[in-house]
Amino acid sequence: MAVNVTLEFSGGAELLFDKVKKHDVRLPHDDGAWTIKRLLVWIKDNLLKERPELFVQGDTVRPGILVLINDADWELMGELEYKIQSNDRIVFISTLHGG
């Protein structure tokens, strides 16, 4: 069964996604579990419109981007290994601002 999730980008991160803050997405079903690590690759390949270096670094988010899973800090949820559930709300908030 496919996994439906809401992805939100704010604090300037939305600028990398054509200024769209909220995306309701359906992650395709296959044999593998959807983790945050796998989701980041999917976001980079399917949603990110420009400057991936401002969003991802290696296989994780760039330092300065807060990640919330259902309003909880992803560090409490297992970070990259968190197994995504249907109807999860995953928020990416950039704390990086130019001066």
Side-chain angles (χ1 to χ4, degrees), residues 3 17 19 25 38-39 46 52 73 80 89 93:
V3 179
F17 299 89
K19 300 180 183 170
V25 299
R38 186 172 173 205
L39 175 67
N46 294 280
D73 189 327
L80 293 172
R89 180 173 163 256
I93 304 168

Side-chain angles (χ1 to χ4, degrees), residues 36-53:
I36 295 293
K37 182 176 182 176
R38 186 172 173 205
L39 175 67
L40 290 175
V41 173
W42 187 90
I43 288 172
K44 185 178 174 187
D45 292 345
N46 294 280
L47 293 179
L48 191 59
K49 300 299 183 193
E50 59 182 88
R51 307 204 48 198
E53 70 277 6

